[in-house]
Amino acid sequence: MRAVKALSAAVLLLGLAATPAAADSSPSASPSGDGDAPTTAGTSFRTATEIEQGRRATANAAAGDYLYWSFPADAGQRPTVRATVRLPETHAAQTWQVDVYDGLRRRQACQWGAQTRTAAADASSVELACVLRTVRAWSEPWANDPLPGTYYVRLTALDLPTSDLGARVGAEIEVGSKDMGGAAAVDGSLSEPLVPGVAMASGADEDGEDRGAVLSAIEPEDGWSSGWWSDRWVWTGIGGVLAALAGVGGYALTRGSGRPSRVPPGA
């Protein structure tokens, strides 16, 4: 009975340890205040405006421009990109599209969401969304799985009529992620996240031998994950304790009360 009580206490402690991991599976909350949110967008991959997850960025542009932003995504996250385009009062029907690329500039497919939408001539705005697949900690070289690192968002209009080219529009974009936990964990991890160089830094010498790429400054608030820890370890430990508890309980039920009464004492 003492062994059963000890194992029950261990299960309770492990269950309490697993509670924060389950709470982390909710969508990331927006930071308070958008005073530092970007108000411009880049026009190419190299000039993409860096944004943080959970913070809304805005930009004023002309219809027909390509607008680029970049954000960090870590292993176990499932990013969701939402974009809103404010259209002018007078315009023809327009089709807008949002695309997401990873750090290798590979276009990532959306699990669901209105990635492409057509705004009617009397519409004041159009809303787009793209829910990516869960970012994996490791993948085969030939696969197109999303990996930890920088992601690019491109927002543009498709096949605009000539009358609408150059018309002023406003764009809003926000990126959030849901932590998928140990259910999406895989063995292995990248040696480095896919973070591109965004500029060249001059070395101390005049020959430029020490010139190197300056890496993108954006990263998750808690830093890049190591790739090996997940709440799957907690549930594996709970499963082992429950198996041991079941073994002790089964033995206690099947061992009986001791020596059968029909056996003589001297036997």
Side-chain angles (χ1 to χ4, degrees):
M1 292 301 295
R2 291 182 179 178
V4 174
K5 292 182 179 179
L7 289 173
S8 301
V11 172
L12 179 60
L13 291 175
L14 287 174
L16 292 175
T19 302
D24 291 340
S25 62
S26 59
S28 56
S30 300
S32 59
D34 289 338
D36 298 332
T39 56
T40 59
T43 57
S44 67
F45 286 103
R46 292 185 60 85
T47 61
T49 299
E50 298 178 353
I51 61 176
E52 299 177 1
Q53 289 197 31
R55 188 176 294 276
R56 177 169 297 184
T58 60
N60 293 321
D65 290 345
Y66 286 88
L67 307 179
Y68 287 83
W69 295 268
S70 62
F71 66 93
D74 206 357
Q77 294 183 340
R78 189 179 66 189
T80 298
V81 179
R82 301 185 185 277
T84 302
V85 182
R86 307 295 179 185
L87 302 174
E89 295 182 0
T90 304
H91 62 85
Q94 297 182 6
T95 300
W96 286 80
Q97 179 171 303
V98 60
D99 297 298
V100 183
Y101 299 82
D102 64 9
L104 299 177
R105 300 185 184 179
R106 303 176 301 181
R107 185 175 180 273
Q108 292 294 322
C110 301
Q111 280 188 313
W112 60 80
Q115 183 180 7
T116 304
R117 268 189 172 177
T118 300
D122 58 347
S124 60
S125 64
V126 58
E127 296 183 356
L128 308 168
C130 175
V131 181
L132 297 177
R133 294 174 294 167
T134 303
V135 178
R136 295 166 55 90
W138 174 86
S139 178
E140 294 288 350
W142 47 261
N144 193 36
D145 297 321
L147 297 171
T150 299
Y151 283 77
Y152 298 93
V153 179
R154 184 179 72 183
L155 178 64
T156 188
L158 306 177
D159 301 328
L160 272 178
T162 306
S163 59
D164 285 345
L165 284 174
R168 304 302 297 176
V169 296
E172 296 181 359
I173 186 170
E174 185 174 6
V175 180
S177 287
K178 180 178 181 180
D179 188 355
M180 303 307 294
V186 295
D187 295 331
S189 62
L190 295 180
S191 57
E192 295 290 343
L194 302 180
V195 179
V198 295
M200 298 299 293
S202 299
D205 57 354
E206 298 180 356
D207 298 334
E209 295 181 357
D210 294 334
R211 291 173 61 86
V214 178
L215 299 182
S216 175
I218 56 175
E219 65 177 22
E221 293 182 359
D222 300 331
W224 300 103
S225 65
S226 61
W228 67 271
W229 169 256
S230 69
D231 55 7
R232 185 171 58 176
W233 290 96
V234 176
W235 294 110
T236 300
I238 293 177
V241 172
L242 291 177
L245 184 62
V248 173
Y251 174 75
L253 293 175
T254 58
R255 66 186 294 269
S257 58
R259 188 181 184 88
S261 58
R262 63 178 178 275
V263 179

